[in-house]
Amino acid sequence: MNAKEISNGIVSAAVKLALITLLLFFIYQVQSVFVYLLVALVISLIGTPIMNILKKRLKFRHTLAVVTTMIIFILIAVSLIMMFVPLLLSQGQNLSLLNTASMEQDFNNLIFQISSYLNDHNIDAGKLMENSNWTSKINFDLIPNFLNSLIGTLSSFGVGIASVFFITFFFLKDQDLFISISKKILPDQHEDKILSSVEKINELLSRYFIGLLLQLFIVFVLYLIVLLIFGIENAFVIAFLCAVLNIIPYIGPLIGTVLALTLTLLSNLGTDFKTEMLPTAIYVMIGFMVVQLIDNNISQPIIFSNSIKSHPLEIFLVILIFGLLFGVFGMILAVPLYTVLKVIGKEFFPDNQIIKIFTKNI
């Protein structure tokens, strides 16, 4: 190899590296577009069964079925906005005008009550708190500012929501067009296998996301019942937020429980710690633990094993492995990605004994 070939190789490698860098920079700059596409894809997978029901049972034309499906999604989104935005705005306004000095006094009073309670049980926590002096480091003025900035961020979601619904409409409307384009692009020797895989993946992921919505609804109802029993303010909002956190397997319910306990304590701030705050928090925690037992042992295994044709232990191990490899984001995407891999494996390697074992129900 002469010097000219070496220099050409170096130039070629540098150009490729530069192009890859520009591509990654471009993806980073337009990452919100990819998020919109991903969310729209999920919504379209959920909407496909609804659209098919409208077409087969009610004899809707394709375009009318798509429009009706989109109207259903828009009505759901508007209903959520009508429920939550006024509440968030009113709470944000109230907290913006909040007397932070009074809140700080209530908080310090709470710390004093906790310290007294621990001292009554032979735990010298008061001295530890006094030595650390950590309560004096809390800036309560950050609370109203944070909530105001959060409300401002939420108000900017309008463009994102509109973009997602626009993309979803064409994902649903032009499914046949995408298939015909794919047939022209895909290599002939693998075309049937790829299209069959895509069709099966769409079916299983649609079942999975519908099952996930059903599971979240069951958890939401159970959370709401627990919070209403113990008279927690804004029970609907707290139950909804905790149910949404269940999207994160195993970690999400823990975060939801901590969130519920925190909001329960804040809603009772200023009341007696021993007789009101602590008992209510304990009851709410026990109630949430019971809900998680029901969800983990009854609703979740039944719904997911039926929707994606996988054993509950198989799902648990997959989520655990993806979580160790890719963190929380990997845990969220574990089941959909694993389902995709199973379908591809069955289509392209149907004679492999290991793949046969894991895909026998597909």
Side-chain angles (χ1 to χ4, degrees):
M1 183 178 292
N2 55 38
K4 184 177 181 180
E5 291 176 340
I6 294 175
S7 62
N8 289 336
I10 293 174
V11 171
S12 176
V15 171
K16 291 179 181 178
L17 182 61
L19 291 175
I20 293 172
T21 303
L22 287 174
L23 178 62
L24 293 175
F25 177 75
F26 173 76
I27 293 173
Y28 176 77
Q29 291 295 321
V30 297
Q31 56 183 311
S32 58
V33 176
F34 290 98
V35 173
Y36 297 158
L37 288 170
L38 181 61
V39 174
L41 178 61
V42 172
I43 296 176
S44 65
L45 288 172
I46 297 172
T48 298
I50 301 174
M51 186 178 67
N52 291 336
I53 291 173
L54 293 174
K55 291 168 66 176
K56 292 178 181 178
R57 296 188 180 181
L58 300 180
K59 306 301 180 182
F60 279 28
R61 293 180 179 272
H62 179 72
T63 303
L64 180 59
V66 173
V67 172
T68 305
T69 303
M70 292 303 303
I71 290 174
I72 292 172
F73 284 133
I74 292 171
L75 289 175
I76 293 173
V78 171
S79 299
L80 291 175
I81 292 172
M82 293 298 290
M83 283 187 225
F84 285 95
V85 169
L87 179 62
L88 291 172
L89 291 176
S90 62
Q91 292 298 320
Q93 184 178 7
N94 292 336
L95 288 168
S96 298
L97 302 173
L98 188 65
N99 186 346
T100 55
S102 176
M103 185 174 180
E104 185 174 1
Q105 183 179 357
D106 289 339
F107 186 80
N108 288 330
N109 182 47
L110 172 62
I111 298 302
F112 176 77
Q113 292 186 56
I114 294 174
S115 178
S116 300
Y117 178 80
L118 294 176
N119 287 331
D120 291 342
H121 291 77
N122 300 320
I123 301 175
D124 191 7
K127 185 176 180 181
L128 179 63
M129 292 180 183
E130 291 175 3
N131 291 336
S132 62
N133 198 28
W134 62 275
T135 56
S136 62
K137 300 175 183 178
I138 299 177
N139 183 5
F140 287 86
D141 292 330
L142 292 176
I143 298 175
N145 295 334
F146 170 76
L147 289 169
N148 286 333
S149 63
L150 178 62
I151 293 170
T153 302
L154 291 174
S155 64
S156 66
F157 279 177
V159 174
I161 293 174
S163 301
V164 166
F165 280 126
F166 184 79
I167 297 169
T168 303
F169 175 79
F170 287 101
F171 277 177
L172 291 172
K173 179 178 178 294
D174 296 328
Q175 289 179 349
D176 294 337
L177 176 62
F178 295 144
I179 293 175
S180 63
I181 293 175
S182 300
K183 288 181 177 179
K184 296 177 181 179
I185 297 175
L186 296 174
D188 294 336
Q189 63 269 28
H190 298 303
E191 179 181 310
D192 292 337
K193 291 182 178 180
I194 293 175
L195 291 178
S196 177
S197 298
V198 171
E199 183 179 354
K200 193 65 179 178
I201 288 169
N202 284 338
E203 178 187 350
L204 289 176
L205 289 185
S206 296
R207 292 164 60 95
Y208 168 72
F209 286 117
I210 291 173
L212 180 62
L213 290 178
L214 178 59
Q215 183 228 356
L216 295 183
F217 177 75
I218 293 172
V219 171
F220 162 72
V221 172
L222 294 176
Y223 279 157
L224 183 61
I225 291 172
V226 170
L227 295 172
L228 290 176
I229 288 174
F230 299 110
I232 306 302
E233 294 182 3
N234 299 323
F236 188 93
V237 177
I238 297 173
F240 180 81
L241 293 175
C242 293
V244 170
L245 286 170
N246 261 49
I247 293 175
I248 308 173
Y250 308 115
I251 297 177
L254 178 62
I255 299 174
T257 302
V258 173
L259 174 63
L261 289 176
T262 303
L263 295 175
T264 299
L265 291 172
L266 289 176
S267 65
N268 290 284
L269 194 63
T271 60
D272 186 71
F273 176 74
K274 295 181 183 179
T275 60
E276 294 189 34
M277 295 186 69
L278 183 61
T280 303
I282 291 175
Y283 294 148
V284 169
M285 182 178 68
I286 293 173
F288 271 50
M289 290 174 64
V290 171
V291 171
Q292 285 308 310
L293 285 174
I294 295 173
D295 180 54
N296 292 333
N297 295 286
I298 300 177
S299 61
Q300 191 176 105
I302 293 174
I303 292 172
F304 286 167
S305 60
N306 289 329
S307 62
I308 59 174
K309 309 297 183 180
S310 296
H311 192 277
L313 179 59
E314 186 181 348
I315 296 173
F316 171 78
L317 292 176
V318 167
I319 292 173
L320 187 62
I321 293 170
F322 273 74
L324 292 173
L325 292 175
F326 307 108
V328 173
F329 193 66
M331 296 177 74
I332 296 173
L333 295 179
V335 176
L337 289 177
Y338 178 64
T339 302
V340 171
L341 292 176
K342 284 178 66 173
V343 173
I344 293 174
K346 184 168 185 176
E347 287 293 334
F348 286 88
F349 308 100
D351 298 326
N352 185 283
Q353 295 301 318
I354 296 177
I355 292 177
K356 279 185 178 180
I357 294 173
F358 285 100
T359 61
K360 62 181 180 180
N361 294 323
I362 296 180

